[in-house]
Each structure stands twice: as structure tokens, then as C-alpha cells.
Amino acid sequence: MLRLVVGTVQKVLEKQKGIQLLEVRTESVAGFKMERVLSFLQEDYKSGDLLLINTTAVRLELGTGGYHFVVGKVTQPEETDVLPNEWGHVMKMRYSPWQLAVDSVEEQASPYHHFFVQEDLSLEGTPVLIGELHSLLPVAVLALRKKNPNTRIVYVMPDGASLPIALSQHVHRLKAIGGLDATVTTGHAWGGDRESLTIHSGLLAARHVEHADIIICMLGPGVAGTGTSYGFSGIQLAEVIHAVSTLGGTPFFIPRISFGDQRPRHYGVSHHTISIINRFALCPALVTIPIFGDERDEILSRQMKTIEVGGKHIFIKRKVPDLSELASLEKGYGLSFSTMGRNWQEDPAPFQTAWMAADFVGNSLDYIVQTVNDVPHLPVSASTLEGLRLYLTRNEAQP
């Protein structure tokens, strides 16, 4: 299914870097509609412009926020570059009608090409916080920034969900308030401060081009699921864990935990998390498990038992922060914290878990600097992560 329609621009409602919100009039046999339409193109719109619009997701009632997307102007008098770049020729969204050339950090014309010809280029122990839900990005970033105000935090976005990073209001806001220092878009995702062809070079770009002290790698908004253990966007995070580990980084994993989602497969620990860490992630990661101090702990214990017995990953447990911590972060952020249609008051568990994981990452920096392997490109080992777990649990500052 691919639904297209021609619409007429009425006015520009909002304009930010990389994205514009338009009011567009469309016609059908049922009459006309005033539609809200997003454009990622760097061009000016005026009342009366005719646009070709993709309406597919809204017609299927999918979670795009009620927006259609501009394909392009119907009447373009001459060839126009609506997404200009400087020197790159690597194509993203390849062989689709919307393919575009980007300035990929690895390619031969890149001023950073010399980094990526080094066979032993490493993350040098850099902690990488990995999570499935984009809605948890602000809590993770703000928790890190609060305790580590002078660190460089870089967000790496894979291509398992939305492709244009400009779609993320959280990224816009976090960059505006100084929460994020830079962004990298990998694979077919595009629009970050840096572009990369793979998740591996994207992580390395975060470290060596953007000088990240901490990397956050979460999917963009708009994940997909099919109710199976094989068909969901988050399965890509197994590859992220592998990349971080083999590149000599320190992988921290945020499990997807909810007690507000009444679907059995997502109640407590989501089956997405169980699938990733129990079966598909072949390299060890440090997985944060919250302690709530009530009956929820028993539910989590039963769900995690088979995974912990496997001995593949290192699990670190801690009492969750008080809800006042979330309230304080949200107040300073200026936008609401919500996930899967629920705010943090209705379902605090996912946000508390993300806060804990971020706090552990922030507390690990000194240890990682002091203990990084003399050959830092070697893959991280379970014994190294166990040593970090012991350090964090012995030295943690209670929330």
C-alpha cells in the first residue's frame, strides 16, 4: 500500500532545523480536508504551492502523530537540490524515489576518512547506553547531564525505526538545552550532525569525530512490532551490543520494563528484551534491573530467572529513584515524559529503569578510564563487566 495525494499549501505552521509543519488542503470525492503535513526538505513554501503527499501511515491509523509527509512539489520549474550536502556521494534510502546523498564520515572524500582506515580503531572503553524506546531518551540524557555536566554526550541513531532524525522532538529539545552535544545517524537513518554507513562506524564517529565521553544508542521514534520474537524493531539492538563489544566499548543495556502496559507480552519485562538478551545478543552486556521494593520485584525475578541462569550477561540491580526525581527532570526539560501513550505518573517503571541505567553509566567513567585495557580494541569480556558491576554496587550513591 502506498497512498499519494496532491494537496495545496495553506500556510507554514512551524519551522525547525530539518523539518517543517504545513497546513495543506486536500480534495476527495467526500470533499476537502485540512491536513497537517511534515516536510524534511530545505525549501520555502508559500500559500498555493502544490505538493505530492504520502498519506499511507495516517490512512492506516499508525502512530505518526497524525501527519502526512511531503514527497515534493508538483510544479518544480528547474532541477533543485532540496537536501544539499558538501562533499559526500554515499546514498541513503538507496534506489528508492527518495534516495539522497549524504556526507558519510567513512568515505574517501571525508576529512575523517583517515580514522576509518585504521584496522584497530577502538571505542577505547567508552560506555554506550543502549535502549529500545526513543521516549526514554530525555530521561537518560538529563540524568547523565545532571551528574556529569562537563561530559560530551553523543546520540547515535540506528535505522530500525524512523529514518529522518528531524522527526524527533526530543532530539531537537535536548540539543537546544545542551543535553546532547552531537548526533550521528547510521545505516539509512539520516539528518544527524554526522552520517555513517554502518552502526560500527557510527559509534566510532561518536568517539573519534565528536569526542564522546558517553554514547547513547536508542532507536528513533516509530518502532514496529508484530507480536513475535523475531519481527520487532528492537531486535537490531543485538547488533548494537555486538558492535559495542567488538569495538572495545562498554555496553549498558536498558531493559524494556512496564507495569502499565496490560498486554501480557509487555507486562513486567517485555518479551522484546527477553528475546534480545536471552537469544540474539551473543556478546555480554551489563543489564540494569530495578528494585521496586514491592510485588513487582517478584514478577521481574520470575521473568529474569531463565536469562540469569544462562550466564551470558552481567546483571546489576538497584533500588529505583524516587518519583520526585522524574518530576524534577521533567520540570526542567519543558516537554512531557511519556511512553506508549502513558505518562510517567501512570507508568513510572520504564523511566525509573532508564534513569538507573544512565546513573550507572555516569558512575562508571572513572573506573573505565583507570582500567581500560592496554590493547583497547579487544572485545569487552564478561569478567571485565563483572568487575565494573562490583565497582558500581560498592560505590553507588543512593538516589
Side-chain angles (χ1 to χ4, degrees), residues 74-221:
V74 173
T75 53
Q76 190 71 268
E78 59 184 25
E79 186 174 306
T80 303
D81 187 355
V82 295
L83 283 171
N85 64 323
E86 293 184 39
W87 39 260
H89 70 276
V90 164
M91 306 297 288
K92 295 199 172 185
M93 301 176 66
R94 290 184 289 279
Y95 300 101
S96 75
W98 241 72
Q99 65 177 347
L100 65 153
V102 300
D103 296 327
S104 183
V105 291
E106 314 97 320
E107 62 182 299
Q108 289 88 339
S110 166
Y112 311 106
H113 179 68
H114 63 282
F115 285 124
F116 299 95
V117 296
Q118 301 175 42
E119 294 294 330
D120 62 350
L121 193 61
S122 165
L123 288 175
E124 301 172 334
T126 305
V128 182
L129 183 56
I130 303 166
E132 179 181 2
L133 297 179
H134 191 76
S135 51
L136 302 184
L137 179 65
V139 169
V141 171
L142 295 172
L144 283 167
R145 184 60 72 199
K146 182 177 180 179
K147 183 169 285 189
N148 304 272
N150 299 317
T151 57
R152 279 190 64 82
I153 302 173
V154 178
Y155 171 52
V156 174
M157 191 174 100
D159 60 4
S162 65
L163 299 183
I165 197 172
L167 188 64
S168 171
Q169 289 297 315
H170 288 316
V171 169
H172 284 291
R173 181 63 180 162
L174 289 167
K175 291 199 72 178
I177 65 175
L180 286 174
D181 293 290
T183 61
V184 182
T185 37
T186 73
H188 285 284
W190 55 273
D193 297 312
R194 306 294 178 186
E195 303 277 6
S196 73
L197 199 59
T198 68
I199 186 64
H200 301 75
S201 51
L203 292 165
L204 291 169
R207 175 60 178 170
H208 294 281
V209 177
E210 289 296 343
H211 310 291
D213 299 305
I214 297 170
I215 299 170
I216 299 182
C217 186
M218 293 183 181
L219 298 178

Side-chain angles (χ1 to χ4, degrees), residues 5 44 49 86 100 102 125 136 171 211 221 231 235 266 273 334 350 369 378:
V5 69
D44 294 324
D49 284 345
E86 293 184 39
L100 65 153
V102 300
L136 302 184
V171 169
H211 310 291
I235 205 169
H266 290 305
T273 288
V369 169
L378 289 179

Side-chain angles (χ1 to χ4, degrees), residues 130-133 136 219 228-230 232-238 241 252-258 264-283 285-290 300 303-308 312-313 315 350 353:
I130 303 166
E132 179 181 2
L133 297 179
L136 302 184
L219 298 178
T228 72
S229 297
Y230 306 97
F232 63 99
S233 301
I235 205 169
Q236 187 184 36
L237 299 183
I241 293 172
F252 287 77
F253 187 80
I254 306 173
R256 179 173 170 176
I257 294 176
S258 169
R265 66 182 185 275
H266 290 305
Y267 191 81
V269 181
S270 168
H271 78 109
H272 288 184
T273 288
I274 294 172
S275 294
I276 293 167
I277 63 177
N278 195 34
R279 184 173 183 185
F280 298 115
L282 305 179
C283 298
L286 212 160
V287 182
T288 302
I289 304 298
L300 295 183
Q303 292 175 318
M304 296 299 298
K305 190 168 296 182
T306 56
I307 303 174
E308 292 175 335
K312 188 189 303 181
H313 302 285
F315 297 89
T353 305

Side-chain angles (χ1 to χ4, degrees), residues 13-53:
L13 299 174
E14 186 178 336
K15 190 172 185 177
Q16 299 186 57
K17 181 181 178 182
I19 192 169
Q20 299 182 65
L21 176 61
L22 314 174
E23 182 180 73
V24 175
R25 174 176 171 142
T26 61
E27 308 282 350
S28 69
V29 293
F32 72 88
K33 288 183 179 179
M34 292 298 181
E35 312 265 23
R36 291 158 64 87
V37 179
L38 290 178
S39 174
F40 302 109
L41 307 179
Q42 295 180 28
E43 59 182 353
D44 294 324
Y45 299 103
K46 63 181 184 300
S47 178
D49 284 345
L50 294 180
L51 306 179
L52 183 61
I53 300 165

Side-chain angles (χ1 to χ4, degrees), residues 326-346:
L326 298 180
S328 175
L329 290 183
E330 185 183 61
K331 183 178 180 180
Y333 183 47
L335 296 178
S336 298
F337 296 157
S338 65
T339 186
M340 307 303 290
R342 296 179 297 274
N343 61 38
W344 67 265
Q345 293 95 336
E346 297 170 302

